[in-house]
Amino acid sequence: ILHEEFARGHNVVDKLYKDWQKGDVLDKEKVESGEMWKELFEPSDFFISYPHYLSMCIVGPSQSDAQSWAGFVVSRLRKLVSDQLGRSLPLKKIQLWPKEFSACVAERSALLTHAQRANSITYFIGFRVDTLRMRGSELDIERQLQNFSKFELSRFHPLTPGMDVLPKTFGVKELPKVCFEDVYE
């Protein structure tokens, strides 16, 4: 009996080894042909996947101020998405687009200087509202954005005049053209 189990075990190991070698050959063929990476480099459907978007336009009075301020804000956007918005609002799904846009999509009526508009980057957050958990007909994110500013962004020092984060909401059909340039070409 022991001999039969050893033989069966040896056959299983031999079969696994042959299958592993076959898989290795198939993977090499996929890598060499580029097929393995094709799906990875396909354009994302992020900007058509959500009915609602929140832009976070990060501005600074100078390029160096804007860089340090933006680095700080970006390092905390994850907390905004997961802690402030994701936990406290009736959302089905929420996602941060990980790439910045070198554009200011703040309201035109925002009192920004030319330098602030030139020294700005924008991030987008897509979200889907859970209508069954909604109270009322409108989603109010103002309190969460104020808490984010008060508890997270206020830690930045030195905060110089002109450093700001300007949120703006969009419907999927209202997104600015900058969202689709170089993404879906």
Side-chain angles (χ1 to χ4, degrees):
I1 294 177
L2 190 59
H3 180 61
E4 286 177 24
E5 286 187 27
F6 177 75
R8 199 175 326 135
H10 184 68
N11 287 340
V12 169
V13 170
D14 190 43
K15 171 89 169 103
L16 286 173
Y17 181 73
K18 287 179 182 176
D19 285 348
W20 183 56
Q21 282 183 321
K22 182 180 176 184
D24 191 39
V25 169
L26 291 175
D27 281 346
K28 284 181 183 176
E29 289 173 3
K30 283 184 175 180
V31 169
E32 289 171 0
S33 70
E35 184 180 328
M36 185 175 196
W37 309 110
K38 186 177 178 183
E39 186 178 335
L40 181 63
F41 291 106
E42 286 181 357
S44 172
D45 62 352
F46 176 80
F47 289 106
I48 56 175
S49 293
Y50 296 94
H52 308 285
Y53 294 86
L54 173 67
S55 69
M56 301 295 286
C57 184
I58 306 164
V59 300
S62 68
Q63 186 175 8
S64 62
D65 285 340
Q67 276 184 319
S68 59
W69 172 237
F72 181 81
V73 173
V74 169
S75 73
R76 277 143 175 91
L77 282 178
R78 173 189 51 81
K79 287 188 172 203
L80 171 66
V81 171
S82 64
D83 297 349
Q84 297 291 330
L85 300 175
R87 289 188 184 161
S88 60
L89 293 176
L91 301 177
K92 282 185 181 177
K93 189 174 179 184
I94 185 166
Q95 181 183 356
L96 172 68
W97 178 250
K99 295 181 182 177
E100 67 184 50
F101 290 90
S102 297
C104 183
V105 298
E107 296 284 351
R108 293 196 187 278
S109 61
L111 300 175
L112 296 175
T113 64
H114 177 71
Q116 286 175 304
R117 288 198 184 270
N119 298 305
S120 66
I121 61 168
T122 301
Y123 280 84
F124 285 88
I125 301 166
F127 60 95
R128 194 171 286 125
V129 177
D130 186 351
T131 53
L132 297 175
R133 292 177 33 213
M134 282 282 292
R135 293 182 184 163
S137 61
E138 291 190 22
L139 184 68
D140 182 19
I141 62 171
E142 190 65 33
R143 185 176 339 129
Q144 285 75 18
L145 292 175
Q146 287 174 354
N147 287 342
F148 177 66
S149 181
K150 181 178 177 181
F151 298 118
E152 294 296 330
L153 301 185
S154 64
R155 296 178 185 189
F156 183 81
H157 293 290
L159 186 64
T160 58
M163 292 180 174
D164 205 353
V165 177
L166 303 154
K168 182 179 177 183
T169 57
F170 295 93
V172 68
K173 294 181 179 179
E174 302 163 341
L175 284 167
K177 289 181 183 178
V178 70
C179 296
F180 303 99
E181 294 171 355
D182 300 329
V183 177
Y184 299 104
E185 292 180 347

